[in-house]
Amino acid sequence: MAGNDHRPPFPERISLCLLLQAGEMEELDRRSARPMAICAKCGLKADDIGDLCQGRPWHKR
């Protein structure tokens, strides 16, 4: 597809940790707007525990 520089969407189950390493801040922000889980490895917060490589439930204090 010549002239098409639109990137395909990321798979739903790629971890936010990998998105951070890739510098994909827009996608990371989209998946962490209402965090319910935190990564035990890097501390990132996510809407879905499945988006983290070592996800744990997280509750705001």
Side-chain angles (χ1 to χ4, degrees), residues 10-16 18-19 27 31 48-53:
F10 286 95
E12 286 299 315
R13 287 292 142 194
I14 189 171
S15 78
L16 295 187
L18 293 175
L19 290 175
E27 184 69 12
R31 294 189 190 187
D48 184 352
I49 199 167
D51 282 341
L52 301 167
C53 59

Side-chain angles (χ1 to χ4, degrees), residues 2-3 6 9-10 13 23 27 30 34 36 38 43 47-49 54 58 60:
H6 174 71
F10 286 95
R13 287 292 142 194
E27 184 69 12
R30 186 181 72 77
R34 293 193 170 118
M36 301 297 285
I38 188 166
D47 299 346
D48 184 352
I49 199 167
Q54 292 183 17
W58 179 74
K60 293 181 185 179

Side-chain angles (χ1 to χ4, degrees), residues 21-41:
Q21 289 176 2
E24 297 295 337
M25 301 310 288
E26 260 183 53
E27 184 69 12
L28 193 135
D29 288 345
R30 186 181 72 77
R31 294 189 190 187
S32 60
R34 293 193 170 118
M36 301 297 285
I38 188 166
C39 181
K41 184 176 179 181

